[in-house]
Amino acid sequence: MSVSNTGIPFLDLITPHVELEQELTKVFQQALRTAGFIGGPMVENFEKAFATFCDAKHSVAVNSGTDALRFALMAAGVKNGDVAVTVPHTFIATTEAISQAGALPEFVDVDERTYNMDPEKLREYLEQKCTKDASGRLISRRSGRPVTAIVPVHLYGQMVDMDAILALAERFNLIVIEDACQAHGAQYFSRKHNRWMTAGSMGKAAAFSFYPGKNLGACGEAGAVTTNDEAIAAQIRMIRDHGQAKKYYHNIEGYNGRLDAIQAGLLHVKLQHLAKWNEQRRERAMEYQRLFESSGNPVNAPYEPSWSRAVFHLYVVRTNDREGMMDFLKNEGIATGIHYPIPLHMQKAYDNLSYAPGDFPVSERVAAEIVSLPMFPQLTADQQAKVAKEVKRFVQSRSSKPVAGEAKDLAVAERMA
Ligand SMILES: *Cc1c(COP(=O)(O)O)cnc(C)c1O
């Protein structure tokens, strides 16, 4: 009903909502009949369920992923004038939240295969680009400001190598706030703890977005923080509600950052299906992998390390003629996207940070070559076969050479097979 017979959409947001229409409509009815619009049991019940899903002790629902990240940074103790280290290969909300918390974003490059924060680059940054002041604080040489936090981003639904990041954070006494806005339910095998752990349960706190297109999406704007730290959860509950400890007793100036009860109710209904949808995304990813392998690996398919169970918010491949491939696929009725075309250090909005092209070569190379293919739980095998066929046809028509990293990719293909 939502997907035309010929075209293959990038994402299908209609089918899951039509399938759940009766249950979702009941949420509206309940809210209308109780006038429970802000706070109350619908929000609290969703928070409990989402914390359980993430294997975290607490979850605090807020009005967006951006605010979730900002509030998490503030509540965890990031202060005005601090530096928070993140990657340039992410959505701008990551750095907006850092700036809005009063901190300065500084970058380290990503890993060429996972597209996520490279722990080696982070180590280099902390050891070589920072210094200790008289009082023992870690100071960034480039800005002269104290470095207090790391914000790893589990981009595309794949985990950052958290053991390595957390070990560095411990060594340098830094706060880790996960940007898990694309990674609801992603799993990481911690060698340190010798078990699988869930995105959002590993840092001091984590931010999730429920923007409609995310793996768990509201019917509007929504987000949440997860944390195992009761004090941080309490602080965020206060920050999201005008700094109130109780009604009209304001301990601090806060924000209007609450989540509507209706959105919480809708999210709670959809949460019941999230594990299944994530599993379907993983199956679709493996199907793409099989199709590309059997047609001679025309593009660099995603790499999934043995310690990551990704939830494929996006399915991103690489090619050296990205614009050509997108046009070709568009002509065949296949929608694609770019996540993201310009690394943050090269965005106009960050001219003031005084980075230059060449500062983060991996992010720059990746940004020029990535294409996101259709990926959603309801994607059919026929649609995938068509996408893979057209990708191959395009690559053959250009006889374009595979981009750097192809040799490594073969090893990955073997591992995923
Ligand atoms: C979506 C997203 C955000 C922001 O979430 P909103 O709910 O849109 O505010 C932050 N970081 C990343 C990586 C995202 O994908």
Side-chain angles (χ1 to χ4, degrees):
M1 69 203 71
S2 55
V3 177
S4 79
N5 290 331
T6 48
I8 300 176
F10 183 65
L11 170 73
D12 173 14
L13 282 181
I14 296 175
T15 303
H17 292 103
V18 170
E19 281 173 6
L20 297 174
E21 191 175 316
Q22 289 201 327
E23 275 179 89
L24 295 172
T25 308
K26 275 197 202 126
V27 173
F28 285 100
Q29 283 175 347
Q30 196 188 329
L32 293 177
R33 290 172 188 177
T34 59
F37 300 125
I38 309 284
M42 285 219 263
V43 174
E44 285 160 22
N45 291 340
F46 169 67
E47 287 177 335
K48 283 198 193 99
F50 190 66
T52 302
F53 180 86
C54 296
D55 218 359
K57 288 208 182 95
H58 311 277
S59 120
V60 184
V62 296
N63 60 7
S64 73
T66 311
D67 271 2
L69 191 53
R70 164 166 53 165
F71 298 165
L73 288 161
M74 293 168 67
V78 172
K79 294 193 181 53
N80 239 340
D82 288 359
V83 168
V85 188
T86 189
V87 288
H89 185 58
T90 178
F91 181 53
I92 193 171
T94 308
T95 45
E96 284 175 332
I98 289 170
S99 303
Q100 289 164 7
L104 183 76
E106 290 194 4
F107 298 116
V108 297
D109 214 345
V110 296
D111 178 283
E112 178 115 30
R113 293 193 291 170
T114 64
Y115 307 139
N116 278 332
M117 181 179 276
D118 184 336
E120 272 307 298
K121 305 270 172 57
L122 178 64
R123 189 180 56 75
E124 250 172 58
Y125 168 90
L126 295 171
E127 287 178 352
Q128 292 164 27
K129 307 268 174 65
C130 296
T131 176
K132 291 255 169 86
D133 73 2
S135 60
R137 291 186 315 172
L138 189 69
I139 304 291
S140 157
R141 292 182 198 271
R142 102 184 293 276
S143 62
R145 300 194 190 196
V147 180
T148 57
I150 308 167
V151 182
V153 185
H154 306 308
L155 203 68
Y156 307 152
Q158 165 142 275
M159 295 297 297
V160 175
D161 188 357
M162 289 300 287
D163 278 349
I165 304 288
L166 289 166
L168 285 166
E170 201 177 309
R171 186 176 141 205
F172 288 92
N173 194 24
L174 301 170
I175 298 160
V176 175
I177 305 292
E178 299 167 73
D179 182 340
C181 285
Q182 301 191 0
H184 322 62
Q187 302 271 319
Y188 175 77
F189 187 82
S190 166
R191 283 85 84 200
K192 184 174 175 198
H193 299 285
N194 195 33
R195 65 180 177 93
W196 288 92
M197 300 179 82
T198 307
S201 69
M202 304 192 65
K204 199 84 186 134
F208 288 88
S209 166
F210 306 123
Y211 184 78
K214 301 290 163 84
N215 287 30
L216 177 62
C219 303
E221 303 277 1
V225 177
T226 54
T227 180
N228 291 320
D229 186 321
E230 167 68 46
I232 288 178
Q235 184 72 9
I236 293 169
R237 278 188 212 105
M238 205 155 71
I239 293 172
R240 76 172 170 186
D241 194 21
H242 300 290
Q244 297 189 124
K246 62 180 186 179
K247 203 165 179 72
Y248 304 133
Y249 288 74
H250 305 273
N251 288 8
I252 50 168
E253 266 192 351
Y255 294 82
N256 179 347
R258 299 169 302 238
L259 177 63
D260 289 352
I262 289 175
Q263 294 301 343
L266 299 170
L267 284 164
H268 203 162
V269 169
K270 294 181 71 181
L271 179 60
Q272 312 308 313
H273 302 270
L274 181 55
K276 173 190 70 193
W277 288 333
N278 280 344
E279 199 46 48
Q280 287 169 331
R281 284 175 186 272
R282 287 186 57 77
E283 284 165 13
R284 304 296 97 99
M286 280 186 255
E287 177 65 9
Y288 270 136
Q289 180 79 21
R290 272 193 293 275
L291 288 163
F292 289 138
E293 269 173 55
S294 66
S295 59
N297 291 312
V299 286
N300 290 58
Y303 168 66
E304 190 180 44
S306 57
W307 40 257
S308 175
R309 277 177 67 84
V311 292
F312 293 95
H313 171 58
L314 294 165
Y315 188 88
V316 177
V317 301
R318 271 170 83 182
T319 171
N320 56 6
D321 183 6
R322 182 251 309 277
E323 270 65 32
M325 184 156 110
M326 291 181 79
D327 280 347
F328 185 94
L329 294 177
K330 190 174 172 200
N331 280 333
E332 298 301 327
I334 298 167
T336 56
I338 307 174
H339 302 87
Y340 299 89
I342 316 265
L344 293 182
H345 69 285
M346 289 163 69
Q347 295 280 1
K348 198 183 285 174
Y350 291 122
D351 278 355
N352 61 315
L353 297 182
S354 306
Y355 285 108
D359 282 351
F360 303 101
V362 180
S363 292
E364 291 166 33
R365 196 154 60 232
V366 165
E369 295 177 346
I370 44 175
V371 188
S372 308
L373 299 180
M375 169 52 81
F376 49 93
Q378 298 80 12
L379 190 65
T380 68
D382 284 351
Q383 289 175 321
Q384 289 197 274
K386 161 99 172 154
V387 173
K389 189 180 103 190
E390 298 305 339
V391 165
K392 185 182 178 190
R393 226 159 55 83
F394 167 74
V395 171
Q396 281 176 340
S397 75
R398 296 298 167 96
S399 63
S400 54
K401 293 182 184 64
V403 294
E406 179 72 8
K408 287 182 197 160
D409 244 48
L410 290 171
V412 176
E414 278 161 27
R415 197 174 316 178
M416 279 191 76

